[in-house]
C-alpha cells in the first residue's frame, strides 16, 4: 500500500494479531520524532481494568504524558482506539472509535468518538489501539497494512494546492492512490486539514468508502481540537487496510449470543424509531424542531432559545431539498438507525469555491444549531458551512460558537469594525463565509477566532480595556457572562438555562461542555422525568458512567439514548432505557466471555471516570472552579433575554419563592431570578460531588480512589497537593 505513490521513510514487517473475544491485546506505537514503530503486547489484566476506547486512551495519557505536556509537545500522545464491541456488523452501531489526547482548547484530556470504518479495520489489522507520540520535522502519513503485514511512515504526498489544503480532498486522493486508483471498503483513513494547522478546534476526519453511494464519506472526531494535535505532530493522515472478513470479525466467545442480542436490538430500533424521533429518515436534524419548540435552540449565541425563522432550517427542508433518499445511511455495517445523512452534487454559491459542485456529509443537528448561533437561518448556507468547515478541517460547533461570541461582543459594544477589519453582525452570511478561510489560514481576524472563545474573550478584554482605560478584569467579568465555554471548550448546541440537570451536564462534564457525557436536557426539560434535585444529581452520576462505557467499548450511543424501548415504560426509571441496555450487556458478555451485570459495568466505568478526573486535576482543570458555567447557561443574563419570556420567568420565580411575593419591578425580578438560579446550580454541584465521592471542592477523596484501585503514587501525590 502506498509504496508507489509515497516515499517510505521507515517500515517494519509485523504479524497481525488475531482478534479473539473482541481484543487483539496489542497497541501499535509510532514515534514520529524518532520514527520508531513498535507493537506493544498488553498484559491479560489490562483490558479487564481499562476496557478499551476511552479507557485505553486515558491510561496511556495518565502514565506517559508529562505534567508539562501541552497539545503540541512531543510527549503529548494521540490515541485512537476502538473497543471490544467495535466491528460487529451483526449488532447496530459498532463502527465507533475514540480519539483521545491533550487538547489545545482545554489543555487537559479530550476525547471525541467518531464513526466510520477506521476503528474496525485497525482492529482487523491487529491493533486495539494506535498511540502516536513525537513530532515529525516533515509532514508524514502512517500506513498500517494488515494485508501486506507492514507498518510504515511515509512522506506525505504533495498534490495541487486545493487538494493539499483540504481534509476531505486530500483524504479522498490518498485513499484512491493507495489502492491503485480505486476506492475499497478494505481501506479507511483519518486526515486533518489546513484549518487544523491554524485553529485550536481542528477536527480529525474518519473517511470510508460507502459502497451504496459509491463515494468516500466522512465522520468527524469533532470536539476539542484533535485534528490540531494531529497536524502539530506533522501527521497528515493515517491509512489502515485489512481485507479480513468483517462478519464475526471479533471472534466472539458466543457467536450465537451476539447474533441474538443484535437481532433483538435491531427489532426495537425498527419498530420504535419511526414512531419516535425517526432518525433513520430525518437524521439528527430532526432535533432542531424540538429544540426550537422547547426554547433550547442556541439562537444568537444562546441569547434566545427559538426564533420565528427557525423553521427555515428544520429537518423537512433538508430532506426535501438535499438529502439523498432511500439509501441506508449507517456509518458502519449493520446500523439500522442509519442517521448519517448526506447529499450529492450540491453547488456552492458562496466563498472561495463558489461554482464548485460537492458531496456533503451532513448536516447533523449540531451544525444546524451552530448556524443558528450566528443568527443565520438559510438552509443552503447550512450546507455550505458544513462543507467548508469539513474541507478546512474545522469543528462546526466551536467555529459557530466562537463567531457567535464575537458577534455578540460587537452587538454589546465590546468590539468594533475597526478592531475586526469589517462588520461582524448576527445573520451576516457573507462575513461568515469570509471568516472561514481566514480561520483556516490563520489570517486577519480569523487568526483570533481560531483561538476559540476562552482565549478570544481575553483578546477582547485587552482591546476594550486599552481603548476605554478600564481594567481587563472588569471587562472579562462582563464577557464571562456570555462567553459560552467551560474549561476552554465551547458549549455544544443546547440552551441549558431551563434545565438544571443539563447545566450540570455541561459544567460538570470532565472534557468540557459537550453533551456526550450527560445529555439530560430531554429527560429533564422535555419529558420532566427527573424533577427533584436529588434525581438530577443521581442522573448526573449514572448517565455519564453509562456513556463512558459506550465510549470504552466502541459503540454508538444513539440506539440506546435516542430510541426508547417500549418495555422501559414498565420499569421504575424509564429514562434509563434499561431493557435496551440489557441487550448491550448480553452483547458484551457474549463477545468477551464475561459474566458482567449492570453494576459491574457501572464500576468499570467509574474507574475510567475517576482516572479522567485525576488527569484533569493534573492539568489544572479538576476542581470546583473549573465546573462553573457562564451565567447565560443558567439564566437570562441581560434584561432583553428576560423580557423575551418575562411571564415564564416570573412564574418560575414565584414557584421558587413559595409564599413570598414577587418584587414589583421587572428589573428586581430579573436580578432575583439570576440569584436563585445561581444558588440552585451550586446546590446541585454539592450534591453531585457528594454522590461521586468527591470533596466539596470537586476532588475525589482518597477512599473513592482506593475503592477502584487507582491510588498509585502519582494519584497520592496529586491529592496531597490539593490537601486531600
Ligand atoms: S446511529 Fe448514526 S452515528 Fe450511530 S452508528 Fe448509526 S449511522 Fe453511525
Amino acid at each position: 500500500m502506498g509504496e508507489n505513490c509515497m516515499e517510505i521513510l521507515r517500515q517494519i514487517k509485523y504479524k497481525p494479531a488475531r482478534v479473539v473475544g473482541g481484543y487483539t491485546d496489542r497497541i501499535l506505537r509510532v514515534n514520529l520524532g524518532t520514527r520508531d514503530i513498535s507493537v506493544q503486547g498488553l498484559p491479560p489484566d489490562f483490558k479487564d481494568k481499562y476496557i478499551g476506547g476511552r479507557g485505553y486512551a486515558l491510561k496511556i495519557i495518565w502514565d506517559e504524558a508529562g505534567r508539562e505536556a501541552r497539545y503540541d509537545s512531543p510527549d503529548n500522545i494521540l490515541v485512537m482506539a476502538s473497543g471490544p464491541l467495535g466491528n460487529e456488523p451483526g449488532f447496530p452501531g459498532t463502527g465507533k472509535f475514540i480519539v483521545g489526547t491533550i487538547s489545545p482548547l482545554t489543555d487537559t484530556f479530550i476525547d471525541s468518538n467518531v464513526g466510520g470504518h477506521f476503528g474496525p479495520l485497525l482492529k482487523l489489522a491487529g491493533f486495539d489501539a494506535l498511540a502516536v507520540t513525537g513530532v515529525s520535522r516533515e509532514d508524514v502519513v502512517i500506513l498500517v497494512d494488515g494485508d501486506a503485514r507492514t507498518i510504515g511512515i511515509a512522506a506525505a504526498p504533495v498534490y495541487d494546492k486545493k487538494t493539499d489544503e483540504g481534509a476531505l480532498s486530500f483524504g479522498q486522493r490518498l485513499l484512491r492512490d493507495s489502492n491503485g486508483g480505486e476506492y475499497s471498503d478494505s481501506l479507511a483513513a483519518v486526515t486533518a486539514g489546513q484549518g487544523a494547522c491554524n485553529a485550536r478546534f481542528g477536527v480529525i476526519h474518519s473517511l470510508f468508502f460507502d459502497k451504496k453511494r459509491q463515494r468516500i464519506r466522512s465522520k468527524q472526531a469533532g470536539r476539542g481540537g484533535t485534528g490540531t494535535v494531529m497536524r502539530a505532530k506533522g501527521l497528515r493522515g493515517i491509512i489502515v487496510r485489512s481485507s479480513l472478513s468483517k462478519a464475526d470479525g471479533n471472534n466472539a466467545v458466543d457467536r450465537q449470543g451476539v447474533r441474538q442480542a443484535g437481532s433483538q436490538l435491531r427489532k426495537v430500533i425498527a419498530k420504535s424509531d419511526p414512531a419516535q424521533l425517526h432518525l433513520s429518515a430525518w437524521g439528527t436534524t430532526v432535533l432542531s424542531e424540538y429544540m426550537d419548540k422547547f426554547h433550547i435552540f442556541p439562537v444568537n449565541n444562546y441569547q434566545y432559545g427559538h426564533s420565528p425563522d427557525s423553521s427555515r432550517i428544520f429537518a423537512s427542508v433538508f430532506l426535501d431539498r438535499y438529502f439523498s433518499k432511500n439509501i441506508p445511511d449507517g456509518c458502519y455495517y449493520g446500523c439500522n438507525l442509519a442517521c448519517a445523512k448526506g447529499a450529492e452534487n450540491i453547488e456552492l454559491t458562496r466563498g472561495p469555491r463558489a461554482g464548485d459542485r460537492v458531496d456533503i456529509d451532513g448536516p447533523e443537528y449540531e451544525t444546524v444549531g451552530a448556524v443558528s448561533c450566528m443568527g443565520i437561518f438559510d438552509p443552503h448556507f447550512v450546507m455550505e458551512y458544513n462543507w467548508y468547515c469539513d474541507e478546512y478541517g474545522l469543528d462546526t460547533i466551536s467555529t459557530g460558537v466562537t463567531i457567535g461570541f464575537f458577534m455578540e461582543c460587537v452587538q454589546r459594544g465590546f468590539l468594533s469594525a475597526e478592531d475586526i477589519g469589517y462588520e461582524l453582525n448576527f445573520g451576516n452570511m457573507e462575513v461568515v463565509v469570509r471568516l472561514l478561510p481566514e480561520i483556516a489560514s490563520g489570517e486577519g481576524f480569523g487568526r483570533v477566532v481560531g483561538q476559540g472563545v476562552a482565549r478570544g474573550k481575553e483578546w477582547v478584554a485587552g482591546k476594550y480595556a486599552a481603548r476605554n482605560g478600564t481594567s481587563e478584569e472588569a471587562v472579562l467579568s462582563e464577557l464571562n457572562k456570555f462567553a459560552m465555554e467551560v474549561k476552554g471548550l465551547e458549549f455544544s448546541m443546547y440552551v441549558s438555562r431551563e434545565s438544571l440537570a443539563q447545566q450540570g451536564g455541561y459544567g460538570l462534564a470532565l472534557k468540557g461542555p459537550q453533551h456526550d457525557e450527560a445529555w439530560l436536557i430531554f429527560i429533564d426539560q422535555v419529558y420532566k422525568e427527573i424533577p427533584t434535585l436529588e434525581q438530577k444529581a443521581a442522573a448526573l452520576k449514572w448517565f455519564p458512567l453509562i456513556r463512558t462505557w459506550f465510549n470504552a467499548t466502541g459503540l454508538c450511543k444513539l440506539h440506546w439514548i435516542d430510541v426508547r424501548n417500549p418495555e422501559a415504560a414498565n420499569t421504575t426509571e424509564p429514562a434509563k432505557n434499561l431493557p435496551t441496555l440489557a441487550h448491550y450487556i448480553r452483547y458484551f458478555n457474549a463477545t468477551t466471555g464475561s459474566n458482567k451485570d449492570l453494576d459491574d459495568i457501572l464500576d468499570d466505568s467509574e474507574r475510567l471516570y475517576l482516572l479522567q478526573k485525576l488527569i484533569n486535576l493534573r492539568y489544572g482543570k479538576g476542581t470546583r472552579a473549573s465546573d462553573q458555567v457562564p451565567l447565560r447557561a443558567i439564566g437570562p443574563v441581560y434584561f432583553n433575554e428576560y423580557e423575551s419570556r418575562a411571564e415564564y420567568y416570573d412564574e418560575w420565580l414565584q414557584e421558587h419563592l413559595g409564599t413570598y411575593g414577587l418584587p414589583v419591578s421587572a428589573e428586581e425580578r430579573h436580578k432575583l431570578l439570576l440569584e436563585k438560579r445561581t444558588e440552585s446550580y451550586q446546590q446541585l454541584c454539592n450534591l453531585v460531588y457528594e454522590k461521586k465521592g468527591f470533596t466539596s471542592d470537586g476532588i475525589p477523596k482518597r477512599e473513592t480512589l482506593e475503592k477502584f484501585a487507582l491510588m498509585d503514587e502519582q494519584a497520592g501525590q496529586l491529592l496531597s497537593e490539593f490537601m486531600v
Side-chain angles (χ1 to χ4, degrees), residues 113 117 129 348 446 553 697:
N113 80 75
H117 297 189
L348 300 173
T553 49
D697 197 25

Side-chain angles (χ1 to χ4, degrees), residues 201-504:
F201 39 79
V203 300
I204 288 180
H205 282 284
S206 161
L207 301 169
F208 60 99
F209 180 54
D210 182 334
K211 281 183 178 170
K212 301 220 171 56
R213 290 181 188 253
Q214 282 294 302
R215 70 173 175 88
I216 297 294
R217 301 204 63 193
S218 156
K219 298 287 282 181
Q220 298 79 35
R223 301 311 319 273
T226 57
T228 306
V229 174
M230 187 164 159
R231 292 305 296 264
K233 291 196 168 300
L235 186 56
R236 283 247 48 196
I238 306 172
I239 305 181
V240 60
R241 181 209 292 271
S242 174
S243 303
L244 291 181
S245 168
K246 295 169 181 73
D248 292 324
N250 276 334
N251 280 318
V253 172
D254 170 10
R255 288 186 189 183
Q256 181 65 10
V258 166
R259 273 195 279 276
Q260 271 173 3
S263 125
Q264 283 161 352
L265 180 58
R266 287 168 67 83
K267 273 189 207 148
V268 173
I269 303 300
K271 192 167 162 218
S272 304
D273 172 54
Q276 298 176 25
L277 290 175
H278 209 178
L279 291 172
S280 53
W282 306 97
T284 56
T285 53
V286 72
L287 294 174
S288 311
E289 193 165 346
Y290 286 94
M291 297 309 150
D292 190 69
K293 181 174 166 192
F294 290 96
H295 293 253
I296 301 170
F297 212 33
V299 176
N300 288 16
N301 193 33
Y302 305 78
Q303 288 183 67
Y304 309 105
H306 89 135
S307 161
D309 293 321
S310 298
S311 61
R312 294 174 60 206
I313 49 174
F314 283 170
S316 56
V317 178
F318 295 102
L319 190 64
D320 289 348
R321 288 196 211 165
Y322 299 106
F323 290 158
S324 316
K325 297 174 191 71
N326 304 320
I327 300 181
D329 271 318
C331 70
Y332 192 59
Y333 298 113
C335 174
N336 64 334
L337 191 52
C339 77
K341 300 298 162 200
E344 275 81 31
N345 201 27
I346 303 299
E347 183 175 356
L348 300 173
T349 59
R350 302 177 177 87
R353 297 283 290 271
D356 284 8
R357 289 192 163 270
V358 296
D359 301 331
I360 298 173
D361 291 314
E364 294 198 35
Y365 166 72
E366 299 294 329
T367 301
V368 179
V371 170
S372 80
C373 192
M374 300 181 285
I376 296 170
F377 300 92
D378 181 295
H380 200 75
F381 178 87
V382 173
M383 300 302 287
E384 294 173 312
Y385 175 79
N386 191 132
W387 186 83
Y388 275 115
C389 284
D390 282 357
E391 178 69 341
Y392 291 138
L394 299 170
D395 174 17
T396 57
I397 300 174
S398 284
T399 304
V401 176
T402 308
I403 295 175
F405 166 71
F406 283 116
M407 285 173 164
E408 185 162 351
C409 286
V410 172
Q411 176 196 343
R412 301 199 181 279
F414 291 102
L415 272 183
S416 65
E418 212 173 279
D419 297 315
I420 295 170
Y422 41 82
E423 296 293 340
L424 183 69
N425 52 303
F426 284 113
N428 189 336
M429 289 186 275
E430 301 315 318
V431 82
V432 174
V433 162
R434 174 177 176 167
L435 251 178
L436 294 178
E438 285 188 5
I439 298 169
S441 61
E443 287 163 6
F445 186 58
R447 192 173 51 78
V448 180
V449 178
Q451 300 304 303
V453 170
R455 290 161 180 86
K457 70 185 176 191
E458 309 234 344
W459 183 85
V460 177
K463 284 251 165 211
Y464 185 86
R467 192 169 47 235
N468 295 283
T470 49
S471 82
E472 279 189 39
E473 290 69 33
V475 186
L476 254 183
S477 89
E478 194 59 30
L479 296 177
N480 279 337
K481 293 178 181 169
F482 63 89
M484 300 304 286
E485 60 87 17
V486 174
K487 301 183 178 75
L489 185 71
E490 290 74 26
F491 273 63
S492 68
M493 309 317 313
Y494 303 94
V495 170
S496 59
R497 64 180 167 232
E498 304 316 318
S499 163
L500 180 58
Q502 189 58 49
Q503 291 160 27

Side-chain angles (χ1 to χ4, degrees), residues 26-311:
R26 300 281 186 285
I27 296 180
L28 171 57
R29 299 278 186 162
V30 180
N31 184 322
L32 292 176
T34 59
R35 291 188 185 154
D36 280 340
I37 302 171
S38 60
V39 176
Q40 177 192 1
L42 294 173
D45 61 342
F46 192 87
K47 57 178 174 276
D48 298 334
K49 213 164 167 190
Y50 303 105
I51 317 301
R54 181 189 284 174
Y56 281 22
L58 286 166
K59 176 63 176 163
I60 291 169
I61 285 171
W62 173 245
D63 283 350
E64 299 172 33
R67 281 193 91 140
E68 303 305 318
R70 293 294 174 265
Y71 80 96
D72 53 356
S73 326
D75 67 338
N76 187 15
I77 307 158
L78 185 65
V79 183
M80 298 182 193
S82 174
L85 304 188
N87 184 35
E88 174 49 68
F91 195 93
T94 66
K96 294 281 181 173
F97 66 103
I98 285 291
V99 182
T101 192
I102 304 292
S103 160
L105 287 168
T106 64
D107 298 315
T108 184
F109 181 83
I110 188 81
D111 72 337
S112 212
N113 80 75
V114 51
H117 297 189
F118 186 88
L121 287 176
L122 184 68
K123 199 199 270 190
L124 287 175
F127 300 106
D128 291 338
L130 161 63
V132 182
T133 49
V135 170
S136 174
R137 288 183 303 278
E138 61 182 301
D139 276 357
V140 294
V141 171
I142 296 173
L143 310 164
V144 183
D145 192 334
D147 293 354
R149 301 179 162 217
T150 58
I151 300 159
I153 301 172
V158 178
Y159 305 115
D160 56 280
K161 187 171 183 290
K162 213 157 80 171
T163 307
D164 289 336
E165 287 180 357
L168 302 175
S169 309
F170 181 82
Q172 285 158 6
R173 183 75 189 270
L174 198 61
L175 280 169
R176 204 177 56 217
D177 287 0
S178 302
N179 194 46
E182 280 182 9
Y183 293 136
S184 159
D185 76 336
S186 295
L187 275 83
V190 291
T191 61
Q194 185 199 19
C197 296
N198 295 302
R200 286 178 185 265
F201 39 79
V203 300
I204 288 180
H205 282 284
S206 161
L207 301 169
F208 60 99
F209 180 54
D210 182 334
K211 281 183 178 170
K212 301 220 171 56
R213 290 181 188 253
Q214 282 294 302
R215 70 173 175 88
I216 297 294
R217 301 204 63 193
S218 156
K219 298 287 282 181
Q220 298 79 35
R223 301 311 319 273
T226 57
T228 306
V229 174
M230 187 164 159
R231 292 305 296 264
K233 291 196 168 300
L235 186 56
R236 283 247 48 196
I238 306 172
I239 305 181
V240 60
R241 181 209 292 271
S242 174
S243 303
L244 291 181
S245 168
K246 295 169 181 73
D248 292 324
N250 276 334
N251 280 318
V253 172
D254 170 10
R255 288 186 189 183
Q256 181 65 10
V258 166
R259 273 195 279 276
Q260 271 173 3
S263 125
Q264 283 161 352
L265 180 58
R266 287 168 67 83
K267 273 189 207 148
V268 173
I269 303 300
K271 192 167 162 218
S272 304
D273 172 54
Q276 298 176 25
L277 290 175
H278 209 178
L279 291 172
S280 53
W282 306 97
T284 56
T285 53
V286 72
L287 294 174
S288 311
E289 193 165 346
Y290 286 94
M291 297 309 150
D292 190 69
K293 181 174 166 192
F294 290 96
H295 293 253
I296 301 170
F297 212 33
V299 176
N300 288 16
N301 193 33
Y302 305 78
Q303 288 183 67
Y304 309 105
H306 89 135
S307 161
D309 293 321
S310 298
S311 61

